[in-house]
Structures are given as structure tokens and as C-alpha cells.
Amino acid sequence: QNIGEMHQFFEYLDENKRSLYPDNPVEVLSHRRQWNNSPRRNTHMRKNEIPLFLNALEEVKQSETYTGVSICNAMLFALLTGLRRSEVLNLKWQDINVQAGYFTIQDPKNSLPLELPITPHVNDLLKVQEDRTISDFVFGADNEFGEIKEPKKVVAKVKKLCKACCNFHDLRRTFATTAEHLDIGTYKLKRMMNHTTGRDDVTAGYTILTAETLRGAAEKVQKELISPP
């Protein structure tokens, strides 16, 4: 250590070389529950912004790489399903069951597999990706992993072009907001978005929501999202 570093070290000790701060000074934040106290974001796309977003996706795809096109299609998939970025980008072809009409999110945030319906809109998008697949991942990338690692640059291009909030979490909020506007039931919406219910919610424990049970709600939300304003 140099002299400057030694000086910085000793300035926090008393004459007996004991720490002037025996307790962690940030413990008070935990005591007062002030960690992560920033307001929750509420950015999402308005109904009139969605066509601009869809047009921007198509325009960006015209000049993008293979991976860039996959990212654009993944963004559309995120809007249609309300899934998290990681859930969309980690989706593999082995998780798709077209004949049975559902796909499975194998490792979501709450570690429980989630089966969701393959609606007409989702099926069309899966066909597009299947025709161009070079990877085990549905939204594959042209790299050694076959997997999209960081979509930020392409997302930024789309965002700049349509001038709307369209990050992956914005798309998730847009899905949820649209579902709420359509009076989709709370349990169905939570299941589609893979939100867990509290342990004290007895009714949730008796409510079994299969992919088929969710199909009507999913189609209703997607139709509202894709239809003209």
C-alpha cells in the first residue's frame, strides 16, 4: 500500500486503532425499510402508439442482421404475450407443442413451468421464426451460442423510430394494461404474466388455469393490441 492509501485507512480509526464506525452505517436503511424505495415505473404504449411500433419493427428489420430480425420478432412476441424478456429470449423449439396448441416457459422467475396457448397471432409469428431457424432457440441469433445475448441496440433503434416506450418491460406493461382495460379476470391475468399469488389466497389454490382456459383471454388481448386504433 502507498502512503495515501494508508492515510485513508487510518483516518477511520481512533487512537487505539479501533474503528470509528463499529456498526455498518447503512444498517439504518434496512431498519427504516428505505432500500429500493424508488417509485415503480409505469411507462407503456398507448393504443395509438402500437401501430407506430409495429411499423418501426418492420422498417428496422429491413436493414438488420439475422439476429436483429430475431430481436424485432421477439419484441412483438413480448407484446403479444406479456412475458418477461428472459422468458421470451430463452424459449426453445422443444418448448413448442403446435399440435396440442400450447408452449411452455420452462424456467420462469418463480421456477414453475408455465403453459400458455398458441393463439393465431402467436402461431403466425412462430411460423416466421421456424422458417428462418438456425438454433435451438425460437428467437435465435447468428453467433456461437445461437442465443440473443443483448438486444439493447436493436430495441433502441425501434424506440427511436416509433418514439414510444417499447423496452421489453414496457411491452409487458402494455399487455397488462390492455388486459385490465378489457376486464380480464385477475387470476387469468396473473397466470398469463406468470405472477404468483399469495399463500393466503385460498381461492387461487383451487383455481386451475390451463393453456386452454387462458386461450380466450389471450386472444382477446392480442386482438385489441393488433387491431387499428
Side-chain angles (χ1 to χ4, degrees):
Q1 290 181 319
N2 58 38
I3 295 177
E5 290 174 334
M6 292 294 292
H7 176 74
Q8 288 181 331
F9 176 76
F10 284 114
E11 69 177 331
Y12 298 109
L13 303 179
D14 60 18
E15 64 276 10
N16 296 315
K17 294 185 179 181
R18 291 192 297 260
S19 173
L20 294 173
Y21 305 100
D23 298 318
N24 190 335
V26 299
E27 284 294 331
V28 66
L29 296 177
S30 298
H31 178 70
R32 296 182 179 180
R33 298 182 180 180
Q34 291 181 328
W35 284 113
N36 302 320
N37 203 25
S38 57
R40 182 186 292 271
R41 292 185 180 182
N42 58 9
T43 51
H44 66 285
M45 284 192 293
R46 310 288 178 175
K47 178 68 174 176
N48 67 304
E49 293 176 322
I50 295 178
L52 301 178
F53 166 73
L54 297 176
N55 289 336
L57 287 179
E58 292 304 314
E59 186 170 338
V60 170
K61 283 195 288 186
Q62 298 305 313
S63 59
E64 263 300 331
T65 62
Y66 177 92
T67 302
V69 173
S70 287
I71 292 171
C72 288
N73 288 339
M75 292 175 71
L76 177 56
F77 191 84
L79 175 66
L80 293 174
T81 61
L83 292 171
R84 301 176 180 90
R85 187 181 89 167
S86 60
E87 294 167 346
V88 174
L89 299 186
N90 291 332
L91 187 65
K92 292 185 176 182
W93 288 112
Q94 66 189 34
D95 305 322
I96 309 296
N97 192 329
V98 176
Q99 289 185 332
Y102 71 88
F103 65 96
T104 306
I105 303 299
Q106 295 288 359
D107 190 24
K109 188 176 181 179
N110 64 17
S111 299
L112 296 174
L114 171 66
E115 291 183 0
L116 293 172
I118 297 178
T119 62
H121 285 107
V122 167
N123 190 51
D124 289 344
L125 187 51
L126 290 176
K127 284 181 178 179
V128 169
Q129 283 300 108
E130 186 177 25
D131 289 341
R132 58 191 301 275
T133 185
I134 59 172
S135 167
D136 291 336
F137 293 91
V138 174
F139 301 99
D142 186 15
N143 59 36
E144 61 180 311
F145 308 103
E147 179 183 7
I148 295 171
K149 291 297 185 179
E150 184 48 73
K152 284 184 179 179
K153 288 184 179 180
V154 176
V155 172
K157 287 182 182 180
V158 176
K159 188 174 182 179
K160 182 178 180 181
L161 196 57
C162 69
K163 298 179 181 179
C165 296
C166 60
N167 295 330
F168 274 88
H169 223 77
D170 297 327
L171 301 175
R172 182 168 165 82
R173 280 188 287 263
T174 301
F175 178 92
T177 302
T178 302
E180 180 65 23
H181 173 72
L182 296 172
D183 291 324
I184 300 298
T186 300
Y187 290 122
K188 286 185 177 180
L189 178 55
K190 281 192 172 186
R191 186 60 178 161
M192 286 191 292
M193 298 189 69
N194 199 34
H195 279 154
T196 56
T197 52
R199 292 185 178 182
D200 57 344
D201 191 334
V202 179
T203 304
Y206 286 91
T207 306
I208 309 301
L209 298 174
T210 65
E212 281 307 311
T213 308
L214 299 173
R215 185 175 299 280
E219 290 179 352
K220 188 176 182 180
V221 176
Q222 291 167 11
K223 183 179 179 180
E224 179 69 14
L225 288 167
I226 299 299
S227 63

